[in-house]
Amino acid sequence: MEIQNKERAAQLLELIDKRKYFKKLKSDNKIGNSFDVTLKVSGYNQLNLMVSDLLKASILLLHHDAPSLPSHTVNTDVNVMTLLEIALQLLPEEEMELLDELYKLNLKV
């Protein structure tokens, strides 16, 4: 039993040491337990549109009388495609591969 646990621990350490996983979050060395996430945009205009869509969607969801967005908001249409693109970019794909590997390792009991 102890030998089997040592083998599993060695396999786990080998998986973690590969460093091909854990790519989504980049450690922020200036702040202790903080990480950065990269979001690719084509420029300031696209970034502005993404943030605007996030804010508009949030306002619409928080207020029951949401169709009355502030009058200074020219365009009240929310581009759901933009929100989905943001979510897609933030998904941790490599990390999910590691979870699959850890799950397989756990099944070898």
Side-chain angles (χ1 to χ4, degrees):
M1 178 73 146
E2 187 176 328
I3 293 172
Q4 189 178 24
N5 286 339
K6 285 183 180 181
E7 289 174 1
R8 291 178 63 199
Q11 289 174 327
L12 175 62
L13 289 173
E14 182 182 330
L15 278 174
I16 292 173
D17 191 46
K18 289 183 179 178
R19 299 178 201 253
K20 72 176 187 177
Y21 306 108
F22 301 117
K23 292 184 178 183
K24 188 58 68 176
L25 299 178
K26 308 293 185 227
S27 180
D28 184 348
N29 296 328
K30 299 173 191 167
I31 303 172
N33 289 331
S34 292
F35 298 92
D36 293 325
V37 177
T38 302
L39 187 64
K40 296 190 186 292
V41 295
S42 62
Y44 284 103
N45 189 47
Q46 184 185 14
L47 177 61
N48 184 56
L49 291 172
M50 285 178 160
V51 173
S52 176
D53 282 334
L54 284 169
L55 291 171
K56 286 186 236 176
S58 298
I59 291 169
L60 288 170
L61 291 171
L62 289 172
H63 291 298
H64 300 296
D65 58 346
S68 61
L69 280 173
S71 59
H72 66 274
T73 305
V74 178
N75 183 1
T76 60
D77 294 336
V78 177
N79 186 346
V80 177
M81 185 62 78
T82 300
L83 303 178
L84 294 173
E85 287 172 356
I86 292 170
L88 189 60
Q89 286 187 48
L90 295 176
L91 283 174
E93 295 174 26
E94 288 83 6
E95 289 83 345
M96 293 298 114
E97 290 177 25
L98 175 61
L99 286 177
D100 282 339
E101 293 297 324
L102 292 173
Y103 181 75
K104 289 176 194 172
L105 185 64
N106 191 38
L107 288 178
K108 294 180 183 179
V109 177

